[in-house]
Amino acid sequence: MKRMIYLFLGLTFVAFVSCRDHDGDDVDNGDDVGNVGDESNVGNEKTYTFGYSVVVRDINGNSLLSENTKQPIIKALSDKDKAASEITTNEYGDIMNIEIESSDINGVSMHSQALIWEYENGITTDTILCEIEKVGDVTTLKKIWVNDHLKWDIEIPAAPWRITLTKISPKHIGLRDEKSTDSRIEKEVDGIKFGYWLSDMDGNETSLFDRNEVEERGFNFNLSVTNNTNKPISFNKHALYFKGYVLGMEGYEVMRTCELTEDILFTIEVMPGETYSEKRWWCTSDVMYSRPLSSGKYYTYFYNESFNTNERKINIPVMFINFEIK
């Protein structure tokens, strides 16, 4: 079976050197994270610019910044800033280059932008916050937060150069029942039943968790495959069988499962009437990707386009679970 780890949209932020003079010509477009910007005078006010890039892909790695997809809109959340964007293509595929022009001159300053996504049945917004430090002619991008979650920090040596925000696929955003309180979802496709549920660390199935318990111990994401056909089924499985995400009500990632380092391929056989299941632990150990969950409502879902058995590919249904932390 293919790895079930590309569950949602990957929204990747790449900080880049973006110097542009104000007659529209590019001055520099390097790859070093940190020094950004260009100064100029607009009227009597001195300004500078900085930028980052956004790569948007679906669960199969296909770019969503294509002509037949509605483009996200970037909006500066401060009157002192101006935001502009442009779609280009490079080795990452289609990229949305975002440039911010600010009237801030010296010292440390914070700059917020909203990335607005319009769907057929609603709008979601991701908030981006950049910390900029300017000393003389040197402007440095220090940190980037996405939806109040630190995604990049120049002071962390292991910080990835590319920053990923996980979002729900636009074609599935309208399928979730926001009022559902079910802790288990089961759906059958071609005689194979898929189950998906949440449980605490003691194995109790639930959609309501205690905040202190979650912060101290975490909780589990569970997946099962039941063979309701009259023939054995088998599928290839990696040790990295699936990766789970917790999303806020606005549709952006707030936590993910622990990642395992091993990647061993082996075969699972499920006889008629039998069930295969496994679980992944939600955790908060990765400083760049996870954090303790506050009290509130969240949701998660399982989705993978196909399930590869020894006979055929089976499309796996989308399964949502809403849950609450008190």
Side-chain angles (χ1 to χ4, degrees):
M1 180 178 178
K2 293 183 180 178
R3 297 183 192 178
M4 296 184 181
I5 61 176
Y6 299 104
L7 302 184
F8 310 96
L9 287 185
L11 183 61
T12 302
F13 292 84
V14 182
F16 68 95
V17 177
S18 176
C19 298
R20 182 183 295 272
D21 62 22
H22 290 266
D23 61 8
D25 297 328
D26 288 335
V27 176
D28 188 54
N29 191 23
D31 290 334
D32 295 330
V33 175
N35 296 331
V36 295
D38 178 38
E39 295 183 16
S40 71
N41 287 288
V42 179
N44 295 322
E45 188 176 58
K46 195 173 184 181
T47 66
Y48 67 89
T49 62
F50 67 92
Y52 52 87
S53 295
V54 179
V55 179
V56 188
R57 302 186 187 281
D58 65 16
I59 60 171
N60 295 316
N62 301 313
S63 174
L64 293 178
L65 293 174
S66 57
E67 293 182 0
N68 58 357
T69 301
K70 197 160 190 177
Q71 305 295 330
I73 300 170
I74 187 70
K75 178 182 179 181
L77 297 180
S78 171
D79 293 338
K80 65 185 178 183
D81 293 344
K82 296 180 180 179
S85 64
E86 179 184 23
I87 303 297
T88 61
T89 302
N90 66 10
E91 65 269 25
Y92 298 107
D94 294 334
I95 285 186
M96 183 179 185
N97 296 313
I98 297 173
E99 185 177 87
I100 308 300
E101 180 181 358
S102 176
S103 58
D104 284 351
I105 301 301
N106 293 311
V108 176
S109 57
M110 311 298 288
H111 305 267
S112 295
Q113 305 92 49
L115 197 58
I116 302 169
W117 303 82
E118 295 186 21
Y119 303 103
E120 292 183 359
N121 56 343
I123 296 176
T124 65
T125 301
D126 297 300
T127 302
I128 305 162
L129 177 64
C130 301
E131 179 181 315
I132 302 294
E133 182 178 33
K134 188 173 186 300
V135 180
D137 295 332
V138 178
T139 305
T140 304
L141 176 59
K142 305 286 286 186
K143 296 179 181 180
I144 300 177
W145 292 264
V146 181
N147 300 317
D148 299 323
H149 186 184
L150 181 63
K151 285 291 186 177
W152 187 80
D153 188 342
I154 196 173
E155 298 298 331
I156 299 178
W161 182 59
R162 293 194 298 166
I163 304 165
T164 301
L165 171 66
T166 303
K167 290 180 66 69
I168 189 174
S169 168
K171 66 181 179 180
H172 298 132
I173 197 169
L175 300 180
R176 181 173 65 95
D177 181 0
E178 295 186 4
K179 297 181 180 179
S180 173
T181 58
D182 294 334
S183 59
R184 177 185 290 261
I185 302 295
E186 293 181 340
K187 293 186 179 181
E188 188 168 314
V189 179
D190 294 344
I192 300 177
K193 183 170 69 176
F194 298 92
Y196 169 46
W197 69 98
L198 303 179
S199 62
D200 61 24
M201 296 303 290
D202 295 322
N204 302 308
E205 182 178 322
T206 182
S207 60
L208 181 63
F209 296 90
D210 177 81
R211 180 177 60 84
N212 294 328
E213 178 75 8
V214 168
E215 289 188 5
E216 293 177 5
R217 301 177 64 193
F219 58 99
N220 289 316
F221 170 110
N222 304 268
L223 183 70
S224 67
V225 179
T226 300
N227 182 3
N228 287 334
T229 72
N230 58 6
K231 295 181 180 179
I233 61 171
S234 63
F235 55 93
N236 291 327
K237 172 188 172 301
H238 287 268
L240 283 172
Y241 181 42
F242 62 79
K243 184 187 296 181
Y245 296 88
V246 173
L247 294 93
M249 298 303 286
E250 280 288 315
Y252 54 77
E253 174 192 357
V254 294
M255 196 168 79
R256 66 177 62 173
T257 54
C258 285
E259 297 183 30
L260 304 180
T261 56
E262 68 267 23
D263 192 9
I264 304 171
L265 181 67
F266 53 97
T267 300
I268 298 295
E269 186 176 66
V270 185
M271 301 302 291
E274 290 185 347
T275 297
Y276 168 80
S277 62
E278 64 175 86
K279 63 185 177 182
R280 281 286 183 265
W281 172 44
W282 300 113
C283 68
T284 59
S285 61
D286 190 331
V287 66
M288 296 308 298
Y289 293 105
S290 298
R291 63 178 178 177
L293 289 177
S294 60
S295 299
K297 295 182 178 180
Y298 303 88
Y299 73 96
T300 180
Y301 80 128
F302 177 80
Y303 173 79
N304 194 60
E305 277 204 334
S306 63
F307 177 85
N308 296 311
T309 71
N310 52 344
E311 295 182 345
R312 62 197 184 281
K313 290 184 177 181
I314 298 174
N315 290 329
I316 300 177
V318 179
M319 294 178 283
F320 289 93
I321 295 180
N322 302 329
F323 67 97
E324 185 174 359
I325 296 177
K326 289 190 173 182

